[in-house]
Amino acid sequence: MMILSRSVALISLFLLPLLTFSFSVDNPTDRRVLVLLDDLSLKSSHSIFFNTLKSRGFDLDFKLAEDPKLALQRYGQYLYDGLIIFAPSTERLGGSLDSKSIADFVDSGRDLILSADTSASDLIRGIATECGVDFDEDSSAMVIDHTSFSASDVDGDHTLIAADDLVKSDVILGKAKIEAPVLFRGVAHSLNPTNNLVLKVLSASPSAYSANPSSKLSSPPQLTGSAISLVSVMQARNNARVVISGSLQLFSDRLIRSGVQKAGSPNQYEKSGNEQFVTELSKWVFHERGHLKAGSLVHHRVGETDEPAIYRIKDDLEFSVEIYEWSGKSWEPYVANDVQVQFYMMSPYVLKTLSTDKKGLFHTSFKVPDVYGVFQFKVEYEKLGYTTLSLSKQIPVRPYRHNEYERFIPTAYPYYGACFTTMAGFFVFSFVYLYHK
Amino acid sequence: MAALESPQPATATAMRHAFGNVLSVLILVLIGVLAFSIRLFSVIKYESVIHEFDPYFNYRVTQFLSKNGIYEFWNWFDDRTWYPLGRVIGGTVYPGLTLTAGTIWWVLNSLNIPLSVETVCVFTAPVFSAFASWATYLLTKEVKGSGAGLAAAALLAMVPSYISRSVAGSYDNEAVAIFALIFTFYLYIKTLNTGSLFYATLNALAYFYMVCSWGGYTFIINLIPMHVLLCIVTGRYSPRLYIAYAPLVVLGTLLAALVPVVGFNAVLTSEHFASFLVFIIIHVVALVYYIKGILTPKMFKVAVTLVVSIGMVVCLIVVAILVALVASSPTGGWSGRSLSLLDPTYASKYIPIIASVSEHQPPTWPSYFMDINVLAFLVPAGIIACFSPLSDSSSFVVLYIVMSVYFSGVMVRLMLVLAPAACIMSGIALSQAFDVFTGSIKYQLGGSSNSADDAEDTNNAPKDDAAAGKTDKGEETVKERSSKKGKKKEREPVEKPSIKSKIKKKALVLPLEASIVALLLLIMLGAFYVIHCVWAAAEAYSAPSIVLTSQSRDGLHVFDDFRESYAWLSHNTDVDDKVASWWDYGYQTTAMANRTVIVDNNTWNNTHIATVGTAMSSPEKAAWEIFNSLDVKYVLVVFGGLIGYPSDDINKFLWMVRIGGGVFPHIKEADYLRDGQYRIDSEATPTMLNCLMYKLSYYRFVETDGKGYDRVRRTEIGKKNFKLTHFEEVFTSHHWMVRIYKLKPARNRIRGKAKKLKSKTSSGWSSKSAKKNPWI
């Protein structure tokens, strides 16, 4: 046992410098990103997107998707913190990679940007399905919208969509509003509404539908209207983040640079919203934004500082928890007025909104309910765009001890009186009975 | 009477009495040794361990008591059981046993005898069974003299029914409660015979000890009032009866209310009402007797009408109040267990949780023969002996046997209450029979020339079992005490029957040959009883049930799977992990593995048990959700299919379904039944084959023999190859008796639709809308 633990310590000592660069609790932003391309020309055609990443300090490693030397991990350690797959047509990934190993990559808490396009391969569809996103089965289908297409596409088949139905979240898309519509040309996908991990970031307009533009529609399209998602994100339960886009062109320099005018709309924009959209989205997906961390749950009786092993019913207690938000560089106090704590035993007995001191400390105080049992302090914080906080701490609550009840109850004084007068009466009676003659 | 005639025989009888006393003390000591040592088979054959289920809880409580002291024990809130409700142990446990063992441990330790708590707990029951046999001696002696007392004590020392609950290691309430029960009855009879307030007070204290020890105290508080009522109705009211009863009710009820688990129940529940009713009646009767004493007969007639009418009114009012009280409570004021006493079918009809316990089932006829053996045949003789002559005390034991026979017919568990009564009756019967036979032999051998006095004398001559001398002595002491204490009025009714009996005895002279043969037959009967008892103690009742053994051609097999898996739990899981299992294994898990359990053998919360039952009878996903909501980490199932251990979870499964279905109606028993049976073979219903219990029991079972042959159900299982999606197997004991599964964590991602599944359901989904989606 000793030897084993020592060797483990030794190994971790070796790995320490390595580990510090990788994804960690203290520094959630990704650093090393693997970019898989099906054609190295994408490197230049999508250079604006890649350059913004590089300028933010990401270490991009471009590889062909079929490169036989591809590997995500070596000796059980992941080599990358993030993965960008811009290889919609790749049928097989090189090396040991397949959809399962990519799913494992996500399950290890690492992030992924996946972009499909028309005629996306089964592999890409499979990865998307693993993440809860279903692309239109018809591999030649595209999103067509005869009302909100881009004006530049006026003669075409209305597959260049000017979408402006963005999710309203400052955390995902940044504080600055994206004014110009986002240009999109690609394949539609849908989400299962019962899946609460996935979210549409860019939705199609109600008039959109998914079909093959070059052939006549023989049957009604399966995906229509705002059920169609153009770009979706998934945040897994371990807070790994995934962006899935139906269009690779969305990231391309051409659409980023092009001006946009939505058909039938007087507003004309110099530049499409694409750049801002993909930049902000990449900030979110690589944990530069919206990442929360919480300290441990602290609780104690009012007037004390130490955490008791057990509470008594009707005790007054104080509860606090520290929550910080990652700004991309440092941990900043998280400020919100909607963090709640539950005092929970099968159902919440107390549900209190925590007040914050704006320095990251959230606190409240409440009275333990008049119910004994094994309770939990629970902080379940799920806010759109933020990582999920799920903290709980078990604490038993006991009933009164035998000597913690009131000794004399005022309302019972008649009974006490009755008791003692009976005793006195009996004594007098015995005395009289025994000594009366 | 013979002693009065000349000084010579007087010294002889004195010598004989002294000799008899020494002999009976010696016999009592030997009986004590016998009672103790016959219960050591379990230690010798297995080891010094706590047995079964409930004893583990008692052991754990005793450990807590010895570690933390009595106040902590009183206020103990246990957060490791009934998660997340917890259990207030101090207020819901009968503390008598724990306090007794704790005190013994404390005394031994302060005498520098460093015994472990476990050792003390293991040997508490045998020690108290020795006490119980001595108490039986005292009780029977009060009823029919010391000959009968010794016989009864010897019988009780080895009655199988009592052995079954008091072998070394069977550390349960009954271990001390039977002693307390008999001792309380003894003190009651003693008070009744002497009219002494001292014994009455002791009686109340003994009753208090009984209340501390066992819920069966309600038997005492109903039986004694019934006897008092019987005495009053048969015109046997006396001040002694009043002394025996009134202090018991007043002091006893006050003391009983001090026990936290009883508390106000001592005056609020119907089980206690009979005693209060009789308490009122005895006062009315006492008043009548008093008035009769101070009034002339003529005045008395007037007074009687007055008193009777007033008494009737009072009684009516009281009855009305009682009826109103009883009617206002939902179960009619009766707890489920008591109701099932009155209506044996009540529990199985309405309360599956009571019916599910095997010891709450009515016994079968063979179990009578198994548990009390030849006593069953001796009891009627004893009853007859009690009627010649009938005294207050003998009427009590008759009432006791009648009531206990009825109750034992309702619940196997209450066989334990029958056993002492049967022993007392059989002791009386044996003693009387020996009296008659040896008396006849002596008479025949001594020749017919003897006078009546001689015949009387021979009647009391020492016998093989040395009981005869005591009979005579016992009667005399009874007379002496009553004459000392009582007034002249009472003396006569006591003496009259004894004179009568002597007259009768003279007539009971049998032929020599018949007596010898009968004597031999009786001795043979006794020998059979002893053989049966030793066999029962050694073979039938000594298994600790946590260690199993089986004898086969290639020797003895020991199945120690339970302790293996509890040890696994305690070594491989986190201290605060919760383990779910059927409630039978709750006590053992908390005591042996020290892990939090969801339900345990203290079945106080039916809903909670039903939740676990529902989870066990649900499909995997639903079960996972139930267990996850209870923070369960591990699920433990007991499976006997590999080695043929019949009391496994599949055989208990019907109760899980019934109890679960009783609270959660979506569990329907019919879904699990094929042709009215729970089947697990290829005929089994799909619900059965998909329920969690089936899956956890038979997961990978087919790998053992390639066919999946279940040796308990004697069939091949219905579904052999299947995978678990929400649970993973983490431990299976050596003989597969205990299997422990871990709940898999929730999936990190939620997968999209499988490719082929894509259909028109998408519109249906969107109509359902994403109400659970926190992102929107």
Side-chain angles (χ1 to χ4, degrees):
Chain A
M1 236 11 222
M2 276 293 290
I3 297 164
L4 193 72
S5 62
R6 198 178 295 164
S7 62
V8 167
L10 215 66
I11 289 168
S12 51
L13 209 69
F14 270 119
L15 291 175
L16 212 59
L18 269 176
L19 286 170
T20 45
F21 286 110
S22 67
F23 179 90
S24 72
V25 180
D26 291 329
N27 183 2
T29 303
D30 301 340
R31 285 291 147 223
R32 297 164 306 162
V33 179
L34 175 67
V35 185
L36 295 183
L37 308 169
D38 53 3
D39 183 353
L40 282 177
S41 66
L42 282 173
K43 206 171 156 182
S44 54
S45 65
H46 292 61
S47 60
I48 297 178
F49 173 64
F50 292 133
N51 285 335
T52 55
L53 286 180
K54 275 184 193 151
S55 66
R56 296 211 306 273
F58 289 98
D59 176 11
L60 301 185
D61 189 359
F62 295 94
K63 289 265 172 69
L64 267 179
E66 275 134 358
D67 187 342
K69 279 185 255 164
L70 274 185
L72 283 177
Q73 52 179 340
R74 186 183 295 156
Y75 308 127
Q77 294 289 326
Y78 277 103
L79 300 169
Y80 305 99
D81 310 321
L83 180 61
I84 298 175
I85 303 179
F86 280 178
S89 57
T90 308
E91 289 292 346
R92 260 190 81 254
L93 290 172
S96 58
L97 264 65
D98 53 9
S99 71
K100 190 185 170 297
S101 64
I102 287 171
D104 288 344
F105 183 77
V106 172
D107 287 346
S108 73
R110 289 166 170 78
D111 309 317
L112 170 70
I113 298 177
L114 177 72
S115 181
D117 214 332
T118 39
S119 66
S121 68
D122 282 351
L123 174 84
I124 300 300
R125 289 161 182 274
I127 296 170
T129 308
E130 284 289 336
C131 298
V133 168
D134 303 300
F135 280 110
D136 192 343
E137 269 196 333
D138 184 357
S139 59
S140 53
M142 290 178 85
V143 186
I144 303 171
D145 195 331
H146 296 300
T147 54
S148 43
F149 56 93
S150 169
S152 62
D153 192 28
V154 68
D155 299 327
D157 43 16
H158 300 169
T159 54
L160 185 63
I161 313 282
D164 51 6
D165 188 3
L166 296 162
V167 68
K168 288 174 190 62
S169 165
D170 288 355
V171 187
I172 297 175
L173 294 177
K175 286 199 172 58
K177 194 172 180 295
I178 298 173
E179 300 286 346
V182 176
L183 291 170
F184 179 96
R185 175 180 279 146
V187 62
H189 63 259
S190 63
L191 308 177
N192 182 347
T194 59
N195 184 345
N196 59 5
L197 300 176
V198 289
L199 170 74
K200 289 177 205 161
V201 176
L202 185 63
S203 316
S205 75
S207 57
Y209 65 96
S210 171
N212 186 349
S214 54
S215 68
K216 256 190 155 179
L217 272 181
S218 53
S219 59
Q222 290 194 338
L223 286 173
T224 54
S226 42
I228 294 177
S229 177
L230 306 175
V231 179
S232 301
V233 295
M234 189 272 282
Q235 180 167 277
R237 290 205 169 89
N238 65 354
N239 293 327
R241 288 172 175 172
V242 176
V243 169
I244 292 169
S245 160
S247 161
L248 186 54
Q249 289 181 36
L250 181 78
F251 299 91
S252 71
D253 298 359
R254 199 172 68 80
L255 288 191
I256 284 173
R257 289 210 189 95
S258 86
V260 61
Q261 183 185 16
K262 202 169 163 184
S265 161
N267 296 337
Q268 191 170 359
Y269 299 93
E270 280 282 292
K271 232 174 131 223
S272 69
N274 285 34
E275 181 170 18
Q276 198 186 352
F277 179 73
V278 297
T279 310
E280 297 298 331
L281 202 55
S282 70
K283 280 183 185 168
W284 180 84
V285 75
F286 289 136
H287 289 268
E288 285 173 78
R289 204 164 44 216
H291 191 98
L292 300 177
K293 95 170 169 183
S296 57
L297 308 177
V298 179
H299 58 90
H300 53 81
R301 290 197 183 92
V302 171
E304 294 177 14
T305 50
D306 291 340
E307 181 175 307
I310 190 167
Y311 281 111
R312 196 199 64 191
I313 53 170
K314 296 182 180 173
D315 264 350
D316 289 303
L317 65 84
E318 282 175 352
F319 172 86
S320 65
V321 61
E322 287 184 344
I323 302 178
Y324 294 98
E325 184 180 5
W326 179 247
S327 70
K329 292 171 194 68
S330 61
W331 290 103
E332 304 290 338
Y334 178 63
V335 180
N337 57 4
D338 54 1
V339 185
Q340 291 181 318
V341 63
Q342 303 173 37
F343 200 56
Y344 181 93
M345 182 178 76
M346 295 208 279
S347 60
Y349 279 74
V350 174
L351 180 62
K352 274 262 201 173
T353 306
L354 299 171
S355 45
T356 174
D357 65 351
K358 314 254 177 188
K359 287 175 189 151
L361 186 74
F362 290 79
H363 59 91
T364 188
S365 61
F366 57 88
K367 192 185 268 297
V368 176
D370 192 3
V371 178
Y372 56 79
V374 184
F375 281 82
Q376 282 175 316
F377 290 104
K378 268 195 178 188
V379 175
E380 301 273 357
Y381 191 64
E382 293 180 0
K383 195 173 177 184
L384 180 61
Y386 284 103
T387 51
T388 306
L389 289 180
S390 178
L391 309 161
S392 67
K393 194 173 208 176
Q394 180 177 319
I395 184 84
V397 173
R398 64 168 172 83
Y400 284 122
R401 291 172 64 91
H402 69 280
N403 54 3
E404 284 174 336
Y405 293 97
E406 278 175 279
R407 169 74 27 142
F408 292 106
I409 310 166
T411 45
Y413 273 103
Y415 297 97
Y416 305 143
C419 238
F420 286 106
T421 48
T422 309
M423 280 156 76
F426 183 72
F427 180 76
V428 169
F429 169 77
S430 318
F431 196 79
V432 169
Y433 185 80
L434 289 174
Y435 296 103
H436 181 258
K437 250 211 302 190
Chain B
M1 321 293 130
L4 294 172
E5 281 175 20
S6 64
Q8 197 67 23
T11 49
T13 35
M15 276 297 290
R16 212 159 57 193
H17 285 170
F19 183 67
N21 272 338
V22 170
L23 202 59
S24 55
V25 167
L26 189 68
I27 290 169
L28 279 177
V29 169
L30 287 178
I31 286 174
V33 171
L34 168 69
F36 182 79
S37 51
I38 200 171
R39 288 165 169 81
L40 299 187
F41 276 112
S42 60
V43 174
I44 293 161
K45 289 185 70 179
Y46 297 89
E47 56 190 298
S48 172
V49 283
I50 307 283
H51 289 193
E52 298 201 315
F53 306 107
D54 288 24
Y56 268 95
F57 170 74
N58 296 323
Y59 168 52
R60 181 165 164 257
V61 174
T62 313
Q63 270 186 321
F64 185 89
L65 172 71
S66 60
K67 210 178 285 171
N68 298 298
I70 186 158
Y71 282 105
E72 286 302 312
F73 165 55
W74 185 3
N75 291 307
W76 186 17
F77 173 71
D78 187 6
D79 57 353
R80 303 200 70 82
T81 178
W82 288 96
Y83 181 85
L85 306 167
R87 179 183 170 196
V88 186
I89 300 257
T92 57
V93 77
Y94 286 100
L97 175 77
T98 317
L99 291 178
T100 307
T103 313
I104 294 173
W105 178 83
W106 179 78
V107 167
L108 287 175
N109 261 277
S110 48
L111 293 174
N112 287 325
I113 304 174
L115 286 182
S116 69
V117 178
E118 188 182 7
T119 314
V120 172
C121 293
V122 166
F123 291 102
T124 299
V127 167
F128 268 79
S129 55
F131 293 168
S133 24
W134 293 335
T136 310
Y137 164 75
L138 292 171
L139 172 58
T140 320
K141 189 181 145 202
E142 283 302 313
V143 177
K144 275 286 171 185
S146 35
L150 287 173
L155 291 175
L156 185 97
M158 51 188 172
V159 64
S161 169
Y162 185 29
I163 285 179
S164 75
R165 291 321 197 88
S166 63
V167 291
S170 184
Y171 179 57
D172 209 349
N173 289 336
E174 290 92 331
V176 298
I178 292 302
F179 158 72
L181 179 86
I182 301 169
F183 197 62
T184 311
F185 285 154
Y186 157 67
L187 284 169
Y188 170 70
I189 295 295
K190 187 82 184 171
T191 324
L192 195 58
N193 281 343
T194 58
S196 152
L197 204 53
F198 170 68
Y199 283 114
T201 316
L202 282 189
N203 189 17
L205 288 175
Y207 172 68
F208 174 56
Y209 184 64
M210 178 69 190
V211 179
C212 281
S213 306
W214 196 30
Y217 75 90
T218 46
F219 184 66
I220 297 183
I221 205 61
N222 282 301
L223 185 66
I224 290 180
M226 279 167 91
H227 178 244
V228 170
L229 204 61
L230 185 76
C231 286
I232 291 172
V233 167
T234 52
R236 287 171 167 273
Y237 171 80
S238 66
R240 289 175 290 110
L241 187 68
Y242 183 86
I243 294 285
Y245 185 65
L248 175 68
V249 171
V250 176
L251 287 178
T253 305
L254 278 176
L255 289 169
L258 293 181
V259 181
V261 63
V262 179
F264 281 106
N265 286 348
V267 286
L268 287 181
T269 55
S270 317
E271 286 101 326
H272 304 82
F273 286 170
S275 63
F276 302 134
L277 195 67
V278 173
F279 187 68
I280 294 165
I281 291 171
I282 199 171
H283 277 92
V284 171
V285 172
L287 195 67
V288 170
Y289 275 84
Y290 176 71
I291 291 168
K292 198 176 184 180
I294 58 168
L295 291 183
T296 57
K298 203 187 265 179
M299 281 294 284
F300 179 68
K301 281 210 166 165
V302 181
V304 160
T305 39
L306 195 73
V307 166
V308 164
S309 49
I310 290 174
M312 288 296 280
V313 169
V314 169
C315 284
L316 277 178
I317 291 169
V318 168
V319 166
I321 290 170
L322 287 187
V323 167
L325 274 176
V326 168
S328 67
S329 80
T331 56
W334 293 80
S335 65
R337 276 189 189 136
S338 311
L339 270 177
S340 71
L341 285 183
L342 297 176
D343 173 11
T345 56
Y346 176 85
S348 52
K349 267 190 284 188
Y350 301 110
I351 315 174
I353 202 153
I354 289 180
S356 75
V357 182
S358 60
E359 60 183 24
H360 290 159
Q361 308 282 0
T364 52
W365 280 113
S367 69
Y368 278 93
F369 190 74
M370 176 71 196
D371 276 0
I372 56 173
N373 199 246
V374 301
L375 305 187
F377 309 117
L378 289 171
V379 163
I383 294 176
I384 292 166
C386 281
F387 275 100
S388 54
L390 188 69
S391 64
D392 290 351
S393 46
S394 67
S395 68
F396 176 76
V397 284
V398 171
L399 192 65
Y400 177 21
I401 186 95
V402 170
M403 294 315 292
S404 59
V405 164
Y406 171 73
F407 286 134
S408 73
V410 177
M411 265 192 207
V412 179
R413 194 166 135 101
L414 293 178
M415 199 74 115
L416 196 57
V417 176
L418 169 67
C423 287
I424 290 164
M425 279 304 174
S426 310
I428 291 170
L430 276 182
S431 158
Q432 295 281 328
F434 276 122
D435 248 5
V436 171
F437 295 137
T438 51
S440 310
I441 292 167
K442 192 109 185 186
Y443 182 75
Q444 301 282 2
L445 290 180
S448 50
S449 62
N450 287 10
S451 67
D453 278 344
D454 279 4
E456 209 268 336
D457 198 38
T458 48
N459 221 359
N460 290 326
K463 284 167 250 168
D464 305 354
D465 66 347
K470 304 304 298 173
T471 322
D472 173 90
K473 218 236 160 186
E475 274 171 24
E476 261 176 25
T477 46
V478 172
K479 269 181 277 164
E480 266 169 21
R481 292 230 178 102
S482 57
S483 58
K484 250 186 268 165
K485 290 262 172 189
K487 293 164 195 165
K488 275 174 192 169
K489 271 185 208 162
E490 303 153 40
R491 198 174 171 182
E492 278 157 336
V494 180
E495 265 181 30
K496 259 185 206 160
S498 67
I499 290 165
K500 243 190 252 166
S501 75
K502 270 162 203 170
I503 296 162
K504 242 185 205 168
K505 269 178 193 166
K506 229 187 284 175
L508 282 174
V509 175
L510 297 173
L512 181 66
E513 296 77 13
S515 303
I516 290 174
V517 169
L519 213 55
L520 285 176
L521 285 176
L522 267 187
I523 290 169
M524 264 177 68
L525 194 67
F528 276 128
Y529 176 70
V530 171
I531 290 167
H532 173 79
C533 291
V534 173
W535 172 83
E539 302 295 335
Y541 290 139
S542 281
S545 97
I546 55 157
V547 187
L548 307 169
T549 56
S550 87
Q551 200 81 41
S552 71
R553 268 168 279 113
D554 44 338
L556 188 74
H557 287 274
V558 178
F559 302 101
D560 204 358
D561 288 37
F562 285 108
R563 288 192 293 182
E564 183 191 346
S565 39
Y566 291 132
W568 185 91
L569 272 179
S570 73
H571 284 109
N572 294 286
T573 59
D574 193 64
V575 176
D576 279 332
D577 281 348
K578 283 88 193 168
V579 180
S581 63
W582 190 233
W583 57 263
D584 295 31
Y585 314 105
Y587 278 163
Q588 290 183 347
T589 310
T590 38
M592 282 199 263
N594 190 25
R595 289 297 172 269
T596 309
V597 296
I598 305 301
V599 291
D600 69 23
N601 311 45
N602 174 267
T603 53
W604 65 274
N605 189 323
N606 191 32
T607 314
H608 220 49
I609 290 181
T611 309
V612 174
T614 306
M616 293 295 191
S617 24
S618 300
E620 222 181 311
K621 186 162 195 297
W624 186 90
E625 271 158 17
I626 293 173
F627 281 141
N628 196 47
S629 72
L630 290 168
D631 299 328
V632 169
K633 267 274 189 62
Y634 296 92
V635 180
L636 181 149
V637 294
V638 172
F639 171 62
L642 185 69
I643 53 153
Y645 171 63
S647 50
D648 66 351
D649 278 348
I650 292 282
N651 274 4
K652 290 171 184 169
F653 186 60
L654 80 155
W655 297 112
M656 303 183 201
V657 173
R658 276 187 204 163
I659 294 171
V663 177
F664 303 100
H666 70 275
I667 301 288
K668 293 182 195 70
E669 192 175 3
D671 294 345
Y672 299 85
L673 294 175
R674 178 82 76 198
D675 311 328
Q677 278 184 313
Y678 282 88
R679 299 182 69 156
I680 46 94
D681 55 9
S682 46
E683 293 286 295
T685 61
T687 322
M688 181 76 194
L689 293 179
N690 283 315
C691 75
L692 185 70
M693 183 45 75
Y694 179 89
K695 285 195 165 182
L696 297 192
S697 289
Y698 294 114
Y699 178 61
R700 293 200 306 114
F701 182 53
V702 73
E703 291 170 24
T704 54
D705 59 355
K707 286 187 303 193
Y709 182 78
D710 186 321
R711 290 188 199 179
V712 177
R713 269 62 61 175
R714 296 178 186 284
T715 173
E716 271 184 39
I717 58 172
K719 195 165 149 191
K720 292 174 184 172
N721 298 299
F722 54 86
K723 279 189 178 144
L724 297 174
T725 52
H726 292 80
F727 294 83
E728 60 181 324
E729 184 188 10
V730 288
F731 178 78
T732 293
S733 64
H734 186 221
H735 302 98
W736 286 51
M737 277 171 65
V738 181
R739 312 196 68 185
I740 301 173
Y741 294 83
K742 188 178 184 177
L743 269 75
K744 285 187 185 164
R747 292 184 66 95
N748 191 36
R749 293 163 285 111
I750 299 173
R751 283 193 51 148
K753 300 168 276 186
K755 274 197 160 178
K756 301 289 175 237
L757 261 165
K758 191 153 180 172
S759 65
K760 280 156 199 158
T761 47
S762 56
S763 58
W765 281 340
S766 47
S767 71
K768 262 185 229 163
S769 92
K771 63 170 183 267
K772 281 177 82 179
N773 193 342
W775 294 87
I776 294 165

